[in-house]
Amino acid sequence: MILTDTHTHLYGEAFDEDRHEVVERALKCGVSRFFIPAIDATYTEAMLALEKAYPAHMFLMMGLHPTHVKEGYKAELRHVQDMLAERKFYAVGEIGIDLYWDKTTLLQQQEAFRTQIDWAKAYGLPIVIHCRDAFDEVFAILEEKNDDALFGIFHCFTGTLEQAEQAISLGLKLGIGGVATFKNGKIDTFLDTIDLRHIVLETDAPYLAPVPYRGKRNESSYLLQVAEKVATIYGKDISEIAAVTTANSKQVFGI
């Protein structure tokens, strides 16, 4: 059984004390493919080091996270542009709009989102979208940019069935993680009405740990709990969930 964690920040400070053990636990659980989203330039060196340590398992993205679109964001965008030109990445992400932490940077976030979507298209890469308290704003730009070159993953999808269908219509897979295991997560109430070919699995480690680890540090081995929950929702064997969602991830990332 091969599981794919399509979104995990294994290079982050939360794993500085036991990163190797965290990766080994995940590998033992069948999680052998890890897609690594970027945040900003300060993490690039750590991302590259993670890839060097586990070249057969770690696949890097490049992008500027919307919560890091701040005063120096144009320099950050230049870093993203330079890195995309310099070497291979598997997606532009995570990018998008976040109005939970700061509404004052909306215009800058919109500019950064549009710009990075254009770069993804230019390189033939998928986008990996971060959206918090900003569904309308994110969808407005996606509809504006919608064409055959737009595809990717709506990371940590927590929207309604209607929003799920809209995302799928725009060429996006839904990233399903720990929220699906929460009592108030809501997406478990309609997820089985969505064809499995539109679903990928993720942890967003170290954030959003699934039940029974909710509130603790998340890690990629906990993708097993997400897969088990999805298997229960769909009434299928976990091995089928692993096979289909891994195939879906290969369709998105090309590897």
Side-chain angles (χ1 to χ4, degrees):
M1 184 173 75
I2 297 173
L3 284 162
T4 300
D5 189 347
T6 61
H7 202 106
T8 177
H9 298 272
L10 287 171
Y11 55 85
E13 298 90 343
F15 301 109
D16 282 353
E17 301 300 318
D18 61 347
R19 186 170 290 106
H20 178 71
E21 291 79 5
V22 166
V23 174
E24 288 300 314
R25 280 196 291 272
L27 292 171
K28 286 178 182 176
C29 288
V31 185
S32 59
R33 292 158 43 82
F34 307 80
F35 288 85
I36 311 297
I39 296 175
D40 66 15
T42 65
Y43 290 100
T44 300
E45 189 176 329
M47 291 173 65
L48 294 172
L50 180 66
E51 179 192 53
K52 186 176 181 180
Y54 303 95
H57 301 288
M58 304 292 164
F59 305 96
L60 304 187
M61 310 180 202
M62 178 49 55
L64 177 60
H65 193 293
T67 62
H68 289 244
V69 175
K70 297 179 179 176
E71 191 174 335
Y73 79 99
K74 292 196 182 238
E76 286 285 352
L77 286 175
R78 283 194 294 274
H79 174 73
V80 172
Q81 188 175 29
D82 290 346
M83 291 301 296
L84 288 171
E86 182 178 308
R87 50 152 291 157
K88 169 71 176 174
F89 289 95
Y90 293 91
V92 175
E94 62 188 281
I95 64 175
I97 299 175
D98 188 313
L99 299 180
Y100 177 82
W101 295 106
D102 189 354
K103 294 181 173 64
T104 67
T105 58
L106 174 58
L107 291 177
Q108 293 89 342
Q109 288 188 53
Q110 288 169 322
E111 179 194 344
F113 191 25
R114 287 189 178 97
T115 298
Q116 292 179 97
I117 290 173
D118 289 342
W119 290 341
K121 289 182 177 183
Y123 285 98
L125 292 174
I127 57 173
V128 173
I129 298 167
H130 173 105
C131 173
R132 192 168 185 190
D133 288 0
F135 276 104
D136 290 345
E137 292 80 3
V138 163
F139 277 125
I141 290 176
L142 291 175
E143 294 286 358
E144 169 193 321
K145 294 290 186 180
N146 185 27
D147 60 21
D148 291 342
L150 181 74
F151 70 108
I153 295 172
F154 205 115
H155 149 63
C156 190
F157 183 79
T158 57
T160 64
L161 175 58
E162 291 73 25
Q163 288 164 334
E165 291 170 342
Q166 186 175 3
I168 290 165
S169 75
L170 291 162
L172 301 170
K173 307 287 188 196
L174 307 181
I176 304 301
V179 174
T181 70
F182 299 172
K183 283 185 179 178
N184 61 349
K186 298 179 184 175
I187 59 171
D188 60 311
T189 62
F190 64 79
L191 195 58
D192 63 346
T193 67
I194 296 168
D195 195 298
L196 257 182
R197 64 194 172 95
H198 301 305
I199 301 296
V200 293
L201 303 183
E202 62 170 57
T203 59
D204 198 20
Y207 314 107
L208 295 172
V211 173
Y213 306 106
R214 188 174 184 182
K216 299 179 180 178
R217 182 191 71 172
N218 199 4
E219 58 179 77
S220 287
S221 62
Y222 298 166
L223 193 69
L224 195 59
Q225 279 69 37
V226 176
E228 287 170 346
K229 178 65 174 182
V230 172
T232 299
I233 290 170
Y234 279 91
K236 296 184 180 295
D237 189 82
I238 189 172
S239 61
E240 183 177 352
I241 299 298
V244 173
T245 55
T246 287
N248 295 343
S249 74
K250 291 178 179 179
Q251 182 186 355
V252 174
F253 294 114
I255 190 168

